[in-house]
């Protein structure tokens, strides 16, 4: 059974797999974005990486830059800082 969302210290976290489904991207892209530091601090819950729900707008920006402009994560990192 996979974890879809959890609350930690009053903050909502959503699993990368669920976020990938929502934005119709491969979870590998989001994992790499997370590893680059683009998605803030996440939590591991039952061997599933979850990111803070407040990062969803940033995920949308990353997906748009990747899909629409064809930018890789290195270029996205430079653009977003």
């Amino acid at each position: 059974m996979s974890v879809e969302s959890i609350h930690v210290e009053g903050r909502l976290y959503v699993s990368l797999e669920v976020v990938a489904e929502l934005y119709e991207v491969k979870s590998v892209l989001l994992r790499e974005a997370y590893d680059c530091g683009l998605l803030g601090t996440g939590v591991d819950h039952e061997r599933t990486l979850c990111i803070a729900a407040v990062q969803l707008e940033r995920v949308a920006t990353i997906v748009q830059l990747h899909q629409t402009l064809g930018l890789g994560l290195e270029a996205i990192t430079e653009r977003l800082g």
Side-chain angles (χ1 to χ4, degrees), residues 41-55:
T41 303
V43 295
D44 278 320
H45 183 73
E46 296 179 6
R47 297 181 4 203
T48 300
L49 179 61
C50 299
I51 61 169
V54 298
Q55 295 292 339

Side-chain angles (χ1 to χ4, degrees), residues 7-80:
H7 284 85
V8 176
E9 297 180 10
R11 294 181 68 189
L12 177 63
Y13 288 80
V14 184
S15 74
L16 279 185
E17 290 79 14
V18 169
V19 175
E21 269 185 56
L22 290 171
Y23 288 98
E24 298 179 348
V25 296
K26 294 184 179 183
S27 60
V28 172
L29 173 69
L30 298 182
R31 179 58 195 226
E32 290 173 357
Y34 175 81
D35 290 341
C36 289
L38 290 172
L39 300 177
T41 303
V43 295
D44 278 320
H45 183 73
E46 296 179 6
R47 297 181 4 203
T48 300
L49 179 61
C50 299
I51 61 169
V54 298
Q55 295 292 339
L56 292 178
E57 186 173 334
R58 188 157 176 97
V59 170
T61 301
I62 291 165
V63 169
Q64 183 178 23
L65 291 171
H66 180 71
Q67 290 181 339
T68 306
L69 299 179
L71 298 179
L73 287 175
E74 186 175 314
I76 292 171
T77 302
E78 288 176 17
R79 187 168 267 201
L80 296 180

